[in-house]
């Protein structure tokens, strides 16, 4: 009986210890990596990306020494802003590490296949640039979403001001009622004003964070109204109508340019597809291109002309409105 009681007490103590250990681990994780902490750190990084006293904000962010050292390089500081504009929550050092790992793996994969060292270097460079390309793609997609959401936000501000609300209150309404990601940027503007920045500085930071022409028009209108006066609600209403008209025109241009884009895709993919098909049907016929020195020279010349042609077609079908 005594033995059974001791065993039961041991199990109870072990259970309590495990429960307290799990609870302590959760509290430690929540204090350092919890959703609220991540949200605050993301807000601080967004504020720092806008240029608001970057040194102090980075200290608050508790970034590593390597991160602070990398951000002293001008180009890498611009890369940090691009990461913030993409909406992704990782640092410049992690992105550069991903580039290094992808480039090394791509280079080693081609070398292990016994291909020429020049091809291995090209593949390694392309693989190393892939993470940056992904960040640029995410940045473009996020900026496009905000550009599409901007007219509704401007109309909301104009209607709220006509209803008698103060301009800072309308910014808070946009931050609370508009969808993300645009609402996140207006929350940053509202936070900067609460932290003590003037409205002019907060809006200049908004224009720095968002390289969108419509956002610059909005910021210029607000700053001019603050200096010269006037009916800001009417001005914002006109800007919202102008942005919507531009989107309609952009839609028409996309429809008219769709045929050219399809032709560009077909012409761009045709050489690659045909080379793959011919190599599958007659490998000996295609092998001369990388086994014979003349064939290698032809590949290099075709690659250069292919890049020039793709760039030229891309410029022809890219119409800015």
């Amino acid at each position: 009986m005594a033995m059974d009681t001791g065993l039961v007490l041991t199990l109870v103590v072990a259970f309590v210890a495990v429960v307290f250990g799990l609870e302590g681990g959760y509290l430690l994780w929540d204090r350092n990596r919890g959703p609220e902490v991540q949200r605050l750190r993301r807000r601080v990084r967004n504020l720092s990306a806008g240029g608001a006293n970057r040194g102090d904000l980075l200290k608050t962010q508790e970034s590593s020494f390597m991160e602070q050292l990398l951000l002293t390089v001008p180009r890498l500081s611009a890369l940090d802003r691009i990461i913030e504009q993409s909406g992704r929550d990782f640092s410049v050092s992690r992105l550069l590490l991903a580039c290094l790992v992808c480039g090394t793996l791509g280079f080693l994969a081609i070398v292990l296949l016994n291909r020429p060292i020049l091809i291995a270097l090209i593949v390694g460079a392309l693989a190393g640039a892939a993470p940056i390309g992904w960040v640029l793609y995410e940045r473009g997609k996020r900026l496009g979403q905000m550009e599409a959401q901007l007219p509704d936000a401007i109309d909301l501000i104009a209607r709220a001001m006509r209803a008698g609300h103060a301009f800072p209150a309308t910014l808070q309404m946009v931050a609370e009622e508009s969808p993300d990601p645009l609402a996140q940027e207006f929350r940053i503007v509202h936070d900067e004003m609460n932290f003590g920045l003037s409205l002019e500085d907060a809006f200049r930071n908004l224009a720095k964070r968002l390289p969108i022409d419509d956002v610059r028009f909005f910021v210029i209108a607000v700053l001019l109204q603050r200096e010269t006066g006037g009916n800001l609600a009417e001005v914002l209403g006109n800007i919202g109508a102008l942005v919507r008209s531009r989107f309609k025109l952009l839609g028409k241009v996309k429809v008219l340019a769709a045929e050219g884009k399809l032709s560009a895709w077909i012409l761009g993919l045709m050489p690659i597809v045909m080379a793959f098909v011919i190599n599958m049907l007659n490998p000996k016929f295609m092998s001369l291109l990388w086994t014979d020195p003349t064939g290698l020279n032809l590949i290099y010349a075709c690659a250069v002309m292919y890049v020039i042609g793709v760039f030229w077609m891309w410029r022809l079908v890219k119409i800015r409105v």
Side-chain angles (χ1 to χ4, degrees), residues 40-297:
L40 291 175
R41 288 182 177 178
R42 186 162 51 250
R43 298 277 283 276
V44 170
R45 289 184 64 192
N46 288 330
L47 289 174
S48 64
N53 200 2
R54 186 174 185 82
D56 295 338
L57 288 169
L58 285 176
K59 292 178 182 178
T60 307
Q61 187 187 344
E62 296 179 356
S63 57
S64 63
F65 172 76
M66 181 60 67
E67 186 71 16
Q68 296 184 27
L69 182 62
L70 288 174
L71 289 177
T72 58
V73 182
R75 297 295 182 182
L76 296 183
S77 179
L79 182 60
D80 180 61
R81 180 170 296 175
I82 292 175
I83 294 174
E84 296 301 328
Q85 291 170 352
S86 69
R88 298 300 169 180
D89 188 18
F90 51 83
S91 61
V92 176
S93 58
R94 292 184 181 180
L95 178 62
L96 295 179
L97 180 61
C99 293
L100 179 61
V101 171
C102 292
T104 303
L105 292 177
F107 176 80
L108 293 178
I110 301 301
V111 169
L112 293 177
L113 292 176
N114 295 324
R115 293 293 184 262
I117 190 68
L118 180 59
I119 297 179
L121 291 174
I122 294 175
V123 172
L126 293 176
I132 297 179
W134 174 74
V135 170
L136 291 175
Y137 169 76
E138 292 293 328
R139 172 182 179 266
K141 184 173 70 173
R142 185 170 180 266
L143 291 179
Q145 291 176 349
M146 287 189 286
E147 191 174 10
Q149 296 168 356
L150 186 61
D152 293 333
I154 294 176
D155 289 343
L156 177 59
I157 294 175
R159 289 195 302 268
M161 293 190 67
R162 291 192 185 101
H165 293 279
F167 186 69
T170 62
L171 296 179
Q172 185 176 4
M173 292 174 60
V174 174
E176 294 175 352
E177 299 180 11
S178 296
D180 285 331
L182 185 63
Q184 180 182 358
E185 296 297 330
F186 276 92
R187 280 195 293 269
I188 295 171
V189 174
H190 189 259
D191 288 344
E192 285 181 338
M193 295 172 64
N194 289 336
F195 291 157
L197 267 71
S198 63
L199 186 142
E200 290 79 6
D201 292 336
F203 269 77
R204 288 193 180 96
N205 291 338
L206 176 65
K208 290 179 182 178
R209 289 194 307 272
L210 302 181
I212 301 174
D213 293 336
D214 297 331
V215 173
R216 294 191 180 100
F217 296 153
F218 169 67
V219 171
I220 291 172
V222 172
L223 296 182
L224 285 178
Q225 192 274 340
R226 298 286 295 181
E227 293 180 1
T228 62
N231 190 347
L232 182 59
E234 183 179 356
V235 173
L236 294 180
N238 294 334
I239 291 178
L242 177 64
V243 174
R244 292 182 187 277
S245 300
R246 192 178 69 83
F247 269 105
K248 291 181 181 179
L249 179 60
L250 181 61
K252 294 180 181 179
V253 170
K254 286 183 177 180
V255 172
L256 296 175
E259 182 180 358
K261 291 182 179 180
L262 181 60
S263 300
W265 275 105
I266 293 174
L267 293 175
L269 294 177
M270 185 179 295
I272 300 175
V273 175
M274 291 300 298
F276 178 76
V277 172
I278 295 174
N279 186 55
M280 293 292 293
L281 296 177
N282 193 351
K284 293 182 179 179
F285 179 78
M286 289 293 295
S287 63
L288 292 175
L289 288 176
W290 53 79
T291 57
D292 189 88
T294 305
L296 288 175
N297 293 330

